[in-house]
Amino acid sequence: HNIFEDDGDSVLEGLAGSVKMVRGTANSGAGFYTAEFYDEDDSNFICHEYGLVTPDTIIAYRLRFPKEERGIMGGITSRMDKSLGPRGGDNPSPDEGFGVQDGRVFRNGTLLEDAQFNPVSSALVSGWAELTPSVSDLIDEDEMGVFFFGPEGNLWGMLPIEGEYGIREVAFCPDDGERFIFEDGSGSRADVFLKVYNVSTMEKMAEFSGIRGSWVWIGPYRCVFTRIDGTRDKGFGYGFGYGLRLSVVMYDTVMKEEFVLKKAADTASYFFEFLDGDELVVTEERVKKAADWDDESKRHEKEIRVEIPAAG
């Protein structure tokens, strides 16, 4: 019985004050609320809760499952949400929250016409969309982010973003698509944040300062990128790259370690270009003395090739 005259928003607010939410899963309106959160006794488990709220009653269920099975449970909880209803009454078919149908993004049953859905090859999610106030006036500034959707179009998770007009890219690893790189940066700068995520839990595995577009997956578990190691005292007046110390690095998501393949030095930087078979094509920028970065005639570039290390 709804003795406190709650609505969906107030019920969710009370729930959020007592649990650790899974980012991007909380949503509510006057007549409903939904969220996923970590079990207070064991963070390896997630609870999915969905409820319908009327002036007289609150009807809800909570399902607890291991967090590594979130991919399997996404489709199950979506169907369970739609089946929830009063005993002996009609089961509503809720359109609340974000969802995807036929490649189109909806919120509370309303089509977000300017939202671009990006399908991906993954066993866990069907794709993603960046949603901001410029996409739809149904999105508030504090809600904007990159939204991921499950195989049945249900909301899977969300990564919040700070600026509305940045440039973001998402790339899933090959084979199983259980990990992805999120490139987040300003539209006017070449330096970006490279963040590696586990899809099943939407937890960040690693974060690096890197260069836009200078990265690639080299298999389902490893990626290579150009890392910014710091700045130089010389060279800022002659182009972006010469003022930075750049190394080529491989990150292993199984070992959770980074391996430097070509390390920046006082007189050298390395920039990953592209993958060619079992080799990495890298540009080496070199000078004889550190002070020579300010002299364009003393800077030299050449292409080198780096063999991909064996796994493990």
Side-chain angles (χ1 to χ4, degrees):
H1 299 287
N2 190 2
I3 59 175
F4 295 110
E5 299 181 348
D6 281 310
D7 60 14
D9 294 327
S10 62
V11 174
L12 181 61
E13 183 179 357
L15 179 64
S18 61
V19 299
K20 181 183 177 182
M21 293 286 188
V22 177
R23 188 165 50 184
T25 64
N27 197 20
S28 65
F32 82 101
Y33 73 96
T34 185
E36 291 186 354
F37 48 91
Y38 294 97
D39 186 277
E40 61 182 353
D41 297 321
D42 189 342
S43 61
N44 290 316
F45 284 82
I46 287 175
C47 296
H48 174 93
E49 184 164 328
Y50 179 81
L52 302 174
V53 183
T54 74
D56 298 319
T57 60
I58 299 175
I59 306 169
Y61 81 93
R62 180 179 295 182
L63 182 65
R64 179 178 182 270
F65 50 84
K67 69 178 183 180
E68 64 267 18
E69 295 182 6
R70 192 161 177 248
I72 299 172
M73 302 309 296
I76 295 174
T77 55
S78 177
R79 292 191 295 272
M80 290 178 66
D81 291 353
K82 293 178 181 180
S83 72
L84 185 67
R87 181 181 300 172
D90 294 331
N91 291 346
S93 178
D95 291 320
E96 296 93 348
F98 294 94
V100 168
Q101 184 176 359
D102 298 326
R104 299 179 298 171
V105 183
F106 293 81
R107 182 174 195 180
N108 298 338
T110 300
L111 174 65
L112 307 183
E113 294 185 1
D114 294 330
Q116 180 180 347
F117 178 70
N118 303 278
V120 301
S121 297
S122 170
L124 300 177
V125 300
S126 58
W128 60 278
E130 183 176 331
L131 303 181
T132 65
S134 62
V135 171
S136 172
D137 56 10
L138 296 177
I139 310 296
D140 295 331
E141 285 191 7
D142 59 353
E143 295 178 311
M144 62 184 182
V146 177
F147 289 72
F148 296 81
F149 298 92
E152 297 192 5
N154 53 299
L155 179 63
W156 177 265
M158 184 268 282
L159 301 180
I161 55 178
E162 295 183 2
E164 185 173 358
Y165 299 105
I167 297 178
R168 286 103 191 170
E169 293 293 337
V170 177
F172 282 71
C173 66
D175 295 345
D176 57 7
E178 293 186 0
R179 288 152 293 279
F180 67 88
I181 293 175
F182 176 42
E183 178 188 276
D184 186 14
S186 165
S188 60
R189 296 168 59 98
D191 57 319
V192 296
F193 291 107
L194 298 175
K195 306 172 186 180
V196 184
Y197 283 87
N198 181 315
V199 182
S200 63
T201 62
M202 291 300 291
E203 292 181 340
K204 183 169 62 177
M205 305 177 69
E207 179 175 339
F208 306 97
S209 179
I211 300 296
R212 183 181 307 284
S214 181
W215 51 268
V216 70
W217 285 102
I218 57 174
Y221 303 106
R222 301 187 297 170
C223 56
V224 168
F225 57 95
T226 300
R227 186 183 67 188
I228 300 175
D229 289 347
T231 59
R232 300 186 184 280
D233 294 331
K234 303 288 184 177
F236 275 97
Y238 295 93
F240 180 87
Y242 298 111
L244 298 175
R245 299 172 66 92
L246 303 177
S247 296
V248 175
V249 175
M250 180 183 72
Y251 179 68
D252 189 308
T253 62
V254 175
M255 302 179 68
K256 296 183 179 179
E257 289 186 42
E258 54 192 282
F259 300 88
V260 179
L261 305 182
K262 297 298 293 185
K263 184 173 179 57
D266 290 341
T267 57
S269 271
Y270 300 91
F271 185 91
F272 167 68
E273 297 284 1
F274 59 90
L275 178 66
D276 184 15
D278 294 330
E279 293 182 324
L280 308 173
V281 178
V282 174
T283 294
E284 179 188 72
E285 302 170 336
R286 182 174 290 277
V287 293
K288 289 186 177 180
K289 297 181 298 182
D292 291 344
W293 288 109
D294 276 344
D295 189 337
E296 186 175 5
S297 65
K298 295 181 179 180
R299 299 195 306 267
H300 304 282
E301 294 184 3
K302 70 175 181 179
E303 178 185 295
I304 62 175
R305 289 177 174 260
V306 178
E307 187 175 347
I308 298 174

